[in-house]
Amino acid sequence: MLEAVQLRRLIAVTFACAAVVFIATVVVASGRAQAGQRHIVHTCSAADHQYLDTVSSNMVQLGYWSDSLVHNDVAPGVVVKQARAEAAQIDATRPTDGTLEQSRSLLRSMFMEYARAVYARSRGRSGGLAMGSAYRLANDVHDLLVGAQPTLAGLGCDPAPLLK
């Protein structure tokens, strides 16, 4: 016999499961990034240059859309769409350097979490959890790039513009 499930209970269970999956993903990605720092051989290929240019451009765009959202110059849906598009652009790159490859997945997740936060706020819900995740992912990327910056800069692929 089928029993009716209360909508609130179903939503709460769905949210809890999604949170567990997300937290596990962040922990695995962060652990992979930290563990991978020990044995990485750095490169500076054309793909690495393209990756750095794409990320730099997308970060500028994210800043523009965020400022526009704060000043009510753009609808939240536009910002969500742009953040998702920027995540897809970063995901489409294929850097050959190990650190840049690790930062790619973290940055893609950061843009998606930012989009989730804006979407939640636009629906009257709290975007704090997603925004906090986006900030943590950004900090993980920053830490990765700071550690690799001297070597990458020496090879001609300086990530310094991304560290500002």
Side-chain angles (χ1 to χ4, degrees), residues 15 22 113 116-118 120-121 125-136:
F15 179 73
F22 174 74
E113 285 303 303
R116 284 186 189 103
V118 171
R121 289 285 296 168
R125 297 188 310 261
S126 172
L129 183 63
M131 189 60 76
S133 296
Y135 277 110
R136 278 188 297 283

Side-chain angles (χ1 to χ4, degrees), residues 3-160:
E3 189 175 317
V5 177
Q6 289 183 348
L7 185 58
R8 287 184 186 173
R9 188 174 292 167
L10 179 62
I11 291 171
V13 169
T14 302
F15 179 73
C17 289
V20 167
V21 169
F22 174 74
I23 290 169
T25 302
V26 169
V27 167
V28 168
S30 295
R32 231 181 59 208
Q34 292 169 358
Q37 286 180 342
R38 290 181 227 130
H39 305 291
I40 291 180
V41 176
H42 294 289
T43 62
C44 185
S45 66
D48 295 334
H49 281 285
Q50 177 193 17
Y51 171 77
L52 291 170
D53 290 344
T54 299
V55 170
S56 181
S57 173
N58 286 347
M59 294 303 289
V60 169
Q61 291 175 37
L62 181 65
Y64 168 79
W65 290 113
S66 296
D67 289 345
S68 295
L69 183 63
V70 167
H71 294 99
N72 296 317
D73 293 335
V74 67
V78 172
V79 176
V80 169
K81 182 178 177 182
Q82 291 299 319
R84 288 178 179 163
E86 291 163 2
Q89 288 172 2
I90 289 172
D91 195 43
T93 63
R94 295 293 179 253
T96 59
D97 179 80
T99 298
L100 298 181
E101 176 60 28
Q102 289 175 355
S103 70
R104 182 179 71 93
S105 63
L106 295 172
L107 280 168
R108 181 193 173 283
S109 296
M110 180 199 77
F111 276 95
M112 293 303 292
E113 285 303 303
Y114 180 78
R116 284 186 189 103
V118 171
Y119 181 79
R121 289 285 296 168
S122 73
R123 299 290 187 239
R125 297 188 310 261
S126 172
L129 183 63
M131 189 60 76
S133 296
Y135 277 110
R136 278 188 297 283
L137 289 164
N139 286 334
D140 288 345
V141 170
H142 182 269
D143 292 346
L144 272 175
L145 295 179
V146 163
Q149 196 267 337
T151 306
L152 286 173
L155 292 171
C157 284
D158 193 354

